[in-house]
Amino acid sequence: MLILGIETSCDETSAAIVEDGRSVYSNVVVSSLKEHQQYGGIIPEIASRRQLECITPVVDEALAKANVSFDDIDAIAVTQEPGLIGSLLVGISFAEGLAVSLNKPLIRVNHIHAHLYASALKDHDALDLEHPLPNLPAIGLVVSGGHSSLFRVTQNWQFELLGQTRDDAAGEAFDKVARILDLGYPGGPVIDRMAKNVDKTDLRFKCGQMDQPYDFSFSGIKTAVLYHHQKNSENDSYNKSEVVHAFQKSVVKDLVSKSLRACLDQNLQTLLIGGGVAANSHLRSELQSACDSENISLHIPAFRLCLDNAAMIAGLAFYRK
Ligand code: KG4
Ligand code: ZN
């Protein structure tokens, strides 16, 4: 079964062709990120205007790259929620019009759930061609710009929420810390790179702890970085790499310990991660060693499938048909 996926929840316009929820034939992603960078965050009006311009050529390119036509497509999938309303409307209206005119089914997919599905996709450009399917049930950790949540993922890719952030999402904290330190937007990739300039530091920042074992809080650590910066940035010894190293270390430790705790509490041997922060190299390596020592099988999406993309939407849609 061939599904055409469409994703327009934030600044990206993406279309993909995926077979049977598994093989990615094409996955075209166009981002308007550069136009937002001067404002330090996404401007919804700019995002949706660009998506209106891009959606038709992006869908055409996804079909051409997969070497298929509209006739070969069995269903159309689209991101239903969550996201910026103007951006979602572009994708949903386009997909609804396409489904009616081609007389094909339309499948609406939750963006957050789809991030966790990304680890099940076989990306043709990746080296790992065998790419094993995750065994379900599993624990799933979604860490993106807008969400940080832990799920129990059951058979047929159903999602049961175990915990989530009470304030900022993990990606949001990376973006805000980068803004405080004047490192540009988005903050995740630059912090990831800069943190590697330092091996060790005595500097410590702590993530907030909640009554609920699977809930997160990242707003306090961002404020701690702000106060530290205000107090010390004029000192000769002040080193931004040290600050981001300590910040990243603490966020990663919190994400790893809560994910592992959920696996052990629920007696599950599979952990899935997804979302933009899953691209973080320190998180990937720390999760891998923690999972190795507990005999837990870790499934991380190919690097380019961590960020927003339509392949994950077309993939999960196969289980919603
Ligand atoms: O999943 P995503 O592409 O969009 C949303 O659905 O939000 O995630 C974007 C977020 C941004 O906050 C960005 O700073 C973060 O993912 N991000 C990273 C890295 N690459 C992107 N965070 C930490 N380390 C990275 N390497
Ligand atoms: Zn996302």
Side-chain angles (χ1 to χ4, degrees), residues 142-201:
V142 185
V143 269
S144 72
H147 297 266
S148 298
S149 314
L150 270 168
F151 290 94
R152 185 184 164 94
V153 186
T154 55
Q155 301 304 335
N156 277 324
W157 295 92
Q158 299 300 319
F159 297 83
E160 203 181 292
L161 186 67
L162 296 177
Q164 59 189 329
T165 182
R166 297 282 190 89
D167 38 59
D168 290 355
E172 189 179 355
F174 273 88
D175 294 337
K176 287 180 175 169
V177 163
R179 194 174 182 152
I180 291 165
L181 301 178
D182 202 15
L183 301 176
Y185 177 86
V190 58
I191 289 179
D192 195 347
R193 274 196 307 277
M194 271 180 79
K196 291 186 180 132
N197 297 338
V198 184
D199 285 337
K200 241 172 123 186
T201 168

Side-chain angles (χ1 to χ4, degrees), residues 27-261:
N27 182 34
V28 179
V29 184
V30 171
S31 164
S32 58
L33 188 63
K34 283 209 160 57
E35 291 174 64
H36 305 276
Q37 274 168 334
Q38 59 177 305
Y39 305 105
I42 302 296
I43 307 296
E45 175 77 13
I46 296 179
S48 53
R49 281 179 186 273
R50 286 294 161 266
Q51 283 158 331
L52 265 180
E53 287 165 13
C54 291
I55 186 98
T56 305
V58 164
V59 168
D60 286 346
E61 194 182 331
L63 291 168
K65 281 203 165 144
N67 207 10
V68 298
S69 72
F70 280 129
D71 286 347
D72 303 315
I73 301 297
D74 298 295
I76 294 147
V78 68
T79 302
Q80 172 73 15
E81 56 166 3
L84 304 171
I85 191 64
S87 294
L88 287 168
L89 262 173
V90 174
I92 294 169
S93 309
F94 188 92
E96 278 184 351
L98 203 56
V100 169
S101 66
L102 299 173
N103 196 22
K104 311 233 168 179
L106 178 69
I107 305 166
R108 296 160 190 275
V109 174
N110 178 293
H111 177 91
I112 304 301
H113 297 168
H115 266 306
L116 283 181
Y117 186 78
S119 62
L121 290 168
K122 222 155 94 176
D123 184 358
H124 280 293
D125 292 345
L127 295 174
D128 174 19
L129 286 179
E130 287 308 308
H131 198 74
L133 263 178
N135 276 330
L136 300 182
I139 293 296
L141 169 73
V142 185
V143 269
S144 72
H147 297 266
S148 298
S149 314
L150 270 168
F151 290 94
R152 185 184 164 94
V153 186
T154 55
Q155 301 304 335
N156 277 324
W157 295 92
Q158 299 300 319
F159 297 83
E160 203 181 292
L161 186 67
L162 296 177
Q164 59 189 329
T165 182
R166 297 282 190 89
D167 38 59
D168 290 355
E172 189 179 355
F174 273 88
D175 294 337
K176 287 180 175 169
V177 163
R179 194 174 182 152
I180 291 165
L181 301 178
D182 202 15
L183 301 176
Y185 177 86
V190 58
I191 289 179
D192 195 347
R193 274 196 307 277
M194 271 180 79
K196 291 186 180 132
N197 297 338
V198 184
D199 285 337
K200 241 172 123 186
T201 168
D202 290 334
L203 199 56
R204 296 271 178 279
F205 296 110
K206 272 175 76 182
C207 293
Q209 295 307 318
M210 304 281 107
D211 301 340
Q212 298 300 322
Y214 309 128
D215 279 353
F216 301 98
S217 166
F218 298 115
S219 147
I221 190 169
K222 164 206 70 189
T223 310
V225 171
L226 173 69
Y227 290 161
H228 178 81
H229 178 72
Q230 287 173 340
K231 201 166 152 207
N232 298 288
S233 61
E234 300 299 321
N235 298 349
D236 289 345
S237 61
Y238 187 66
N239 180 350
K240 285 184 188 175
S241 294
E242 238 180 272
V243 176
V244 299
H245 181 99
F247 160 77
Q248 176 180 275
K249 190 172 170 191
S250 175
V251 171
V252 164
K253 190 170 167 217
D254 193 56
L255 294 171
V256 171
S257 70
K258 285 174 184 161
S259 306
L260 265 285
R261 176 164 182 183

Side-chain angles (χ1 to χ4, degrees), residues 7 9-10 12 111-112 115 144-146 275-276 306-309 312:
E7 149 68 34
S9 64
C10 191
E12 287 93 354
H111 177 91
I112 304 301
H115 266 306
S144 72
C306 289
L307 302 173
D308 289 348
N309 68 87
M312 65 186 194

